[in-house]
Amino acid sequence: MDIVLITAVIASLFLVIGAAEPLAARLRLPYSVILAGLGIIIASGAIFFLRTDLTDALNPVAEAILGLPIRSNVFLYVFLPTLLFQATLGMNLRRMLDDWVPIMVLAVVAVVVATLSVGYALSWATTLPLAACLLIGAIVSTTDPSAVVSIFRSISAPRRLARIIEGESLLNDAAAIALFGLFMGFVMLGVPNPELSDALARFPVLIAGGALTGWLAARIAIWIMASFHAHELALISVSVALPYLAYIGAEQSIGASGVIAVVAAGLTLNLSGPGRLPPQAWANLREVWDLLAHWAGALIFILAALLIPRLLEDVRVSDFILIGVVIVAAIAARAVILFGLLPLLAILRLSPPVERPYRVAILWGGLRGAVTLALALAVTESFRVPVEVKRLVGILATGFTLFTLIVQGTTLRSVIGWMGLDRLSPIDEAMSRQVVAVALQTVREDIARTTEDYALTHDIVRAEAKVFGERLEAAVRTAEDSDEILDRDRITLGLIALAGFERDTILARVRERTISARMAEQILSDADRLIEAARAGGRSGYQQAARRSVAYGRAFRTVVALHNRLGLSAPLVRMTSDRFELLLSQRLIMRDLDAFIDGRIRRIHSRRVADLLHELLARRIETVETALEGLRLQYPGYAEELERRFIRRTSLRLEEREYAAMREDGLIGAEVYATLMQGLAVRRTAAEGRPTLDIALKRKELIKLFPLFADLDEAALKKLGRALLTQYVNAGNVIVHKNNEVKNVYFIASGAVELESLGQSWRLGRGDMFGQVAALTRNARRAEVRAIAPSTLLVLDVARFRQMLAQSAVLQNAVRASAEQRGIDPFLLLGEVMEEK
């Protein structure tokens, strides 16, 4: 085919893509539905002109359209990696993990259930072999998120709903393609049927091999991109190569899942890229991928739609019945998962509950798209598949896809509206009226200053002021009539606004490069959790999310165990450094929130609500300060190094701003500006590096801070440093249980604990110890010790403690004092030790 003609056709398709978006907005239909419709019209028109004698002038164009080299591999190897990779770059993985159970259920379990449901339903309704029916079930089980997500964004649907849909669609392609490959082997002629046990055994290889390939490819790419940090175009070019090499490497080299490889590569880059690449380069990389994914998504839909008239050429009346069977079976299978399995998992507390309106929207939003058509096309292209199987696969997959796009896609907006997901809650509706009133008052003040500054015509100003005043009066009257907003609800709305402003401040600080991009994702994720927790649980939910943001998590406890038991310190060093920077960044951000409460929230929600928010914010700051102080004590000097880095980065930002202002004012030329910015870039790269944290050295220094160890010589301190273990506990965790066997004595490096024994309680803080009474009396502990703040403990086993006690007069005095405080004869504790000595 003439390359000039093919180029003209492809360029014309881009014109169609450009026209489809405003047309979709005007018709209030999903963008992908419009693309599919235009593709069908173009292909039908081409067939019409070729088969009629009206004119021969358009025959070359029609032949070029119908003769485009569209094969299934084009969809799977050219377009699919782009869509998957961009989706992983754009997702908030940490927020996605909050809903990982419903996402995995929909992405894997729902695909398997839909495959079996459609397969057995078709087996009952047709004479096709079961393997062919299951093949059709696998083909139609994968969903396409583009149409649904575009609708969600256009009507401001809840973020959680969009996250679940995007996460499902991102992962279910891998499950569907794996099942497709399994059943394809059973229907191909001249190929030995695969053993089911062997095929099932390959699933872990598909997943693990794909994940490992994607992770390794991404790590190599990140290393190369970090080396090219001064060359933005080179950096972005490497990112473009990454998903394709990961996909091809997994599929062709080790026979693993290319989809999983691309997803793993994208997630790895998403997590590691912001901390290794310059912020502006990372932002531009994301924009390039957004554009590539937009083009790929549009082309995959319109090219697949061009195939639809060809795939439906041999359709028969009886085939419509079979299409109906597929529709009913697929929707029923999805309904069973959404209304049967997900509620059961929520009852068993294995998954966060998914509200009924969400499940209805997800059910009707299970649109099929280009991946389904691509898999069907792969079957029709194979010469080893029986003709009747190829015909039915093409017709049923195409018919079902058209049903989801035309019927479900065009009515999804109405279904979402019917479920009330596009409407504000009564509280938000009342809140919006309050916001309008406050905003208009501020606008009136600004307009008054503007008219004075520019000396506008008095009569015009007076006329416009009258109109504006009437609107303001009506808005204030409406807001005052909103008595349904209770103080409890105002507090909730104020907390949501406060967390939203916190998120905006974080983004601004990241753009200014005063907060590292490495920590931006985690801090933003914490802000998102604050918003959703406040929305769901009000003040208590906000407080729980705030405590969670500074608490030691499961991952931290895991790396501590690795450090203590296996001597692997690198993960602990990295996570401790991250925690230092996270706490310092949170403290800096929260210092900006008081002004927002006084300037905005007080005007909308009253002084009483603002004072309460100040109190809650003060508690958060105190919690962060306590956690940060604990780390300062544990690792002296490290926080100061981070603060120095913050000051250096702030000074570089201000210096860059001054150079830019001089350039705009014409005080310096382009050559001078470029030279200054090059020098600034060198200093900024040096300032980006994070200081090294030496855990072993810091522990030794920490031991020296304990008065209990003041009389130990250097050799004894070194020996003690090797013997002591570090234990991190969250507030509320029980450290010592009653009636347990005596094993350890604990020294508090940071934080605080509460000791309860015989109806009495004592609070202990930094520098104190506990567990020594039970250790010395050799009796079961009668006390329970619980952490009342995130705490760092140094743990020493009983045998070493007794040895050290015999050698340290200071420690003996401390034990004697603790015994007297609790009404215990000190001789009972120290007598045996003195005898051993």
Side-chain angles (χ1 to χ4, degrees), residues 133-317:
C133 297
L134 292 172
L135 175 65
I136 297 173
I139 291 173
V140 302
S141 63
T142 178
T143 60
D144 191 295
S146 55
V148 186
V149 173
S150 65
I151 293 176
F152 290 164
R153 290 172 179 168
S154 67
I155 62 175
S156 300
R159 292 182 183 178
R160 187 185 179 208
L161 183 56
R163 277 203 309 269
I164 293 175
I165 290 290
E166 287 179 311
E168 172 206 2
S169 302
L170 186 66
L171 298 176
N172 67 9
D173 289 340
I177 292 173
L179 289 173
F180 168 81
L182 170 63
F183 295 120
M184 187 72 169
F186 284 98
V187 300
M188 294 174 67
L189 300 175
V191 176
N193 285 340
E195 292 290 336
L196 185 59
S197 58
D198 294 340
L200 293 177
R202 278 190 50 78
F203 272 89
V205 177
L206 289 173
I207 296 174
L212 181 61
T213 302
W215 175 83
L216 183 61
R219 296 305 304 178
I220 295 173
I222 291 171
W223 176 76
I224 297 173
M225 293 161 71
S227 303
F228 295 166
H229 67 275
H231 307 280
E232 188 174 300
L233 295 179
L235 183 151
I236 295 174
S237 300
V238 173
S239 77
V240 173
L242 173 59
Y244 295 101
L245 294 179
Y247 190 95
I248 295 171
E251 290 278 345
Q252 302 298 325
S253 299
I254 63 175
S257 170
V259 172
I260 294 294
V262 173
V263 171
L267 293 178
T268 303
L269 183 59
N270 188 351
L271 291 174
S272 302
R276 299 289 303 277
L277 307 179
Q280 189 58 46
W282 177 253
N284 292 338
L285 182 149
R286 292 275 298 270
E287 291 180 0
V288 168
W289 272 102
D290 288 343
L291 180 61
L292 291 177
H294 173 73
W295 286 343
L299 284 173
I300 198 173
F301 255 103
I302 199 166
L303 291 176
L306 291 176
L307 300 173
I308 289 177
R310 196 187 318 169
L311 291 172
L312 295 178
E313 279 185 331
D314 298 328
V315 66
R316 304 168 187 167
V317 176

Side-chain angles (χ1 to χ4, degrees), residues 480-796:
E480 290 175 349
D481 293 340
S482 300
D483 297 330
E484 63 268 27
I485 305 182
L486 305 176
D487 282 350
R488 178 188 60 199
D489 297 328
R490 289 185 180 277
I491 293 169
T492 297
L493 293 170
L495 289 172
I496 294 171
L498 185 64
F501 179 75
E502 182 175 345
R503 191 180 195 282
D504 294 339
T505 305
I506 293 167
L507 290 172
R509 290 294 182 89
V510 172
R511 286 192 295 268
E512 295 170 353
R513 305 179 81 168
T514 52
I515 291 181
S516 70
R518 176 189 181 91
M519 300 306 301
E521 289 295 328
Q522 185 171 349
I523 302 174
L524 285 171
S525 179
D526 290 338
D528 288 337
R529 285 196 179 94
L530 286 173
I531 294 172
E532 295 194 11
R535 191 179 296 277
R539 186 195 312 182
S540 62
Y542 180 89
Q543 290 174 313
Q544 289 175 3
R547 288 193 295 268
R548 180 181 176 185
S549 68
V550 299
Y552 290 107
R554 185 179 303 171
F556 200 93
R557 294 193 292 271
T558 300
V559 299
V560 169
L562 291 174
H563 171 70
N564 291 338
R565 299 177 183 177
L566 302 178
L568 299 177
S569 60
L572 179 59
V573 170
R574 184 173 61 254
M575 292 197 70
T576 303
S577 300
D578 287 346
R579 180 171 173 79
F580 252 122
E581 190 168 355
L582 173 68
L583 292 172
L584 187 59
S585 300
Q586 285 184 335
R587 190 188 68 175
L588 294 171
I589 292 297
M590 286 189 288
R591 296 293 181 185
D592 296 333
L593 301 184
D594 282 309
F596 177 75
I597 295 175
D598 291 329
R600 289 288 186 178
I601 293 179
R602 187 186 300 273
R603 298 185 65 182
I604 297 176
H605 295 295
S606 78
R607 179 182 296 274
R608 184 172 61 256
V609 174
D611 291 343
L612 180 59
L613 295 189
H614 276 303
E615 181 182 344
L616 293 175
L617 182 61
R619 291 179 188 173
R620 278 190 67 196
I621 294 175
E622 181 181 358
T623 302
V624 170
E625 290 283 8
T626 301
L628 190 57
E629 182 62 23
L631 287 176
R632 287 179 190 272
L633 294 171
Q634 188 173 352
Y635 305 106
Y638 190 78
E640 287 73 11
E641 289 297 323
L642 290 177
E643 289 179 351
R644 289 191 185 97
R645 187 179 70 150
F646 171 78
I647 294 172
R648 288 194 295 267
R649 292 162 70 171
T650 302
S651 65
L652 289 171
R653 174 180 62 85
L654 297 175
E655 184 179 352
E656 181 182 16
R657 187 180 66 184
E658 289 300 314
Y659 293 156
M662 293 179 184
R663 174 73 177 89
E664 292 175 0
D665 294 340
L667 298 177
I668 58 176
E671 296 82 0
V672 175
Y673 178 74
T675 302
L676 292 173
M677 294 305 295
Q678 288 175 1
L680 189 68
V682 173
R683 294 194 298 277
R684 176 166 280 153
T685 301
E688 288 290 337
R690 195 159 61 180
T692 303
L693 178 64
D694 187 346
I695 287 183
L697 176 64
K698 299 307 179 184
R699 182 188 292 181
K700 181 179 176 182
E701 295 180 0
L702 176 64
I703 293 173
K704 291 181 179 180
L705 297 177
F706 276 80
L708 300 175
F709 308 135
D711 60 344
L712 297 180
D713 57 26
E714 189 69 23
L717 283 174
K718 186 175 181 180
K719 183 178 179 181
L720 179 61
R722 291 195 299 267
L724 284 168
L725 300 178
T726 306
Q727 179 177 339
Y728 303 90
V729 291
N730 284 331
N733 286 3
V734 176
I735 305 166
V736 176
H737 294 269
K738 290 182 180 179
N739 303 320
N740 279 7
E741 182 183 355
V742 176
K743 291 184 179 180
N744 300 308
V745 177
Y746 300 84
F747 302 89
I748 303 175
S750 65
V753 303
E754 186 173 64
L755 186 149
E756 294 183 3
S757 178
L758 301 176
Q760 294 181 302
S761 64
W762 298 268
R763 289 195 171 187
L764 308 176
R766 182 174 64 88
D768 292 329
M769 65 177 170
F770 59 91
Q772 72 278 7
V773 173
L776 295 174
T777 58
R778 299 182 185 274
N779 293 326
R781 292 188 176 102
R782 292 176 296 173
E784 180 177 272
V785 184
R786 183 186 304 272
I788 57 177
S791 303
T792 303
L793 309 175
L794 298 181
V795 185
L796 188 65

Side-chain angles (χ1 to χ4, degrees), residues 340-359:
L341 183 57
L342 283 185
L344 178 61
L345 292 175
I347 292 173
L348 298 176
R349 297 187 177 180
L350 298 176
S351 166
V354 181
E355 291 79 3
R356 186 180 183 86
Y358 282 29
R359 284 179 276 142

